[in-house]
């Protein structure tokens, strides 16, 4: 058979790397089952419009569909859960966990992988403080088990903070969008290059860069 290369940004998992991934996954899944979470599996292909606010079109793997629907390989697993809950009559509250592959094209020369495994929990219908503390406990246990760290720093924020700060800077629409995308995807080289265009007002948004992540 002729040698066929993988698409850029993808890789085969083999040997010890694959074994280590299975060990970590098994430990996480056992922990979440013991904490009474329910497993949810979702298709790897979704309607593209589900992710309209998540990633630009050129960062998505488009999928050919004979039926004519506009589909993509999922770039995230959280939004499909929202889609599932909005289209079913599942009772609340719910404690859900998931693990699966997501596909998002990384910026060129960034060193990022286009296929990544995403693991997460969703506490839906609970009081906010209880949900946040549950997530903190889970991250602390994971850190102690695999990183051998007993002191863990966790940053909590909200994605809407980005738009509020950028709107206050009164930027033109294109630069506003580019900065928001760079922060959203934690592409800090691109963020720094855009920030250089702002002059003195950039100091306001520079302080928030390490603390913004999407929830």
């Amino acid at each position: 058979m002729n040698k066929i290369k993988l698409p850029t940004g993808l890789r085969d998992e083999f040997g010890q790397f694959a074994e280590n991934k299975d060990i970590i996954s098994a430990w996480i899944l056992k922990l979440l089952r013991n904490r009474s979470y329910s497993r949810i599996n979702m298709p790897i292909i979704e309607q593209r419009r589900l992710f309209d606010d998540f990633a630009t079109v050129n960062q998505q793997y488009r999928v050919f569909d004979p039926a004519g629907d506009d589909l993509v390989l999922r770039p995230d697993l959280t939004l499909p859960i929202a889609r599932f809950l909005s289209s079913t009559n599942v009772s609340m509250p719910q404690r859900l966990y998931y693990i699966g592959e997501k596909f998002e094209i990384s910026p060129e020369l960034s060193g990022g992988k286009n296929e990544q495994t995403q693991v997460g929990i969703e506490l839906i219908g609970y009081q906010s403080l209880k949900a946040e503390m549950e997530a903190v406990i889970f991250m602390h246990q994971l850190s102690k088990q695999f990183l051998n760290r007993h002191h863990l720093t966790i940053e909590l924020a909200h994605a809407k903070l980005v738009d509020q700060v950028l709107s206050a800077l009164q930027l033109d629409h294109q630069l506003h969008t580019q900065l928001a995308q760079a922060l959203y995807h934690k592409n800090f080289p691109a963020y720094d290059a855009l920030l250089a265009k702002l002059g003195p007002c950039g100091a306001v948004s520079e302080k928030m860069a390490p603390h913004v992540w999407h929830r």
Side-chain angles (χ1 to χ4, degrees):
M1 177 182 293
N2 294 331
K3 292 183 179 179
I4 300 176
K5 294 183 178 179
L6 281 173
T8 302
L10 306 182
R11 66 179 177 186
D12 297 307
E13 296 178 349
F14 171 75
Q16 192 60 51
F17 181 92
E19 294 288 349
N20 289 341
K21 182 175 177 178
D22 282 348
I23 291 170
I24 295 172
S25 298
W27 184 89
I28 292 174
L29 298 183
K30 181 179 179 181
L31 173 66
L32 294 175
R33 290 189 189 105
N34 289 341
R35 296 186 72 87
S36 301
Y37 282 78
S38 297
R39 176 69 179 263
I40 180 169
N41 294 323
M42 297 156 291
I44 201 169
I45 297 175
E46 294 273 1
Q47 296 281 353
R48 187 187 67 80
R49 64 179 180 271
L50 177 63
F51 305 100
D52 279 348
D53 296 329
F54 180 80
T56 57
V57 172
N58 62 0
Q59 292 174 311
Q60 298 174 351
Y61 281 93
R62 307 289 286 273
V63 177
F64 173 75
D65 178 30
D69 291 333
D70 194 2
L71 308 178
V72 294
L73 297 181
R74 62 190 181 200
D76 172 70
L77 276 76
T78 303
L79 289 173
I81 291 179
R83 184 262 309 150
F84 167 79
L85 293 172
S86 68
S87 60
T88 60
N89 294 318
V90 177
S91 61
M92 298 296 172
Q94 286 288 332
R95 299 159 61 92
L96 305 176
Y97 74 94
Y98 58 86
I99 181 170
E101 303 305 300
K102 71 182 188 75
F103 300 83
E104 186 177 9
I105 300 174
S106 299
E108 188 175 0
L109 304 179
S110 69
K113 296 298 181 182
N114 295 352
E115 178 183 0
Q116 296 181 352
T117 302
Q118 182 176 338
V119 180
I121 59 175
E122 300 289 341
L123 286 90
I124 304 160
Y126 291 92
Q127 293 296 321
S128 176
L129 181 59
K130 180 177 180 179
E132 298 290 0
M133 288 306 300
E134 177 75 10
V136 169
I137 291 170
F138 171 63
M139 287 185 281
H140 181 58
Q141 290 178 316
L142 182 63
S143 175
K144 286 176 60 179
Q145 179 70 21
F146 292 106
L147 301 180
N148 195 28
R149 295 177 181 174
H150 296 276
H151 300 283
L152 180 65
T153 300
I154 299 172
E155 297 176 355
L156 301 176
H158 198 289
K160 289 184 179 179
L161 176 64
V162 176
D163 280 329
Q164 291 177 350
V165 174
L166 293 179
S167 295
L169 296 177
Q170 298 181 343
L171 308 173
D172 66 77
H173 177 73
Q174 182 179 7
L175 184 56
H176 181 131
T177 302
Q178 290 173 336
L179 276 166
Q181 287 287 338
L183 283 169
Y184 188 91
H185 297 289
K186 298 185 179 180
N187 184 357
F188 292 119
Y191 170 81
D192 289 337
L194 292 166
L195 194 65
K197 301 179 181 180
L198 299 183
C201 70
V204 177
S205 60
E206 184 176 13
K207 292 179 181 178
M208 76 176 182
H211 306 289
V212 176
W213 60 286
H214 178 69
R215 293 184 56 209

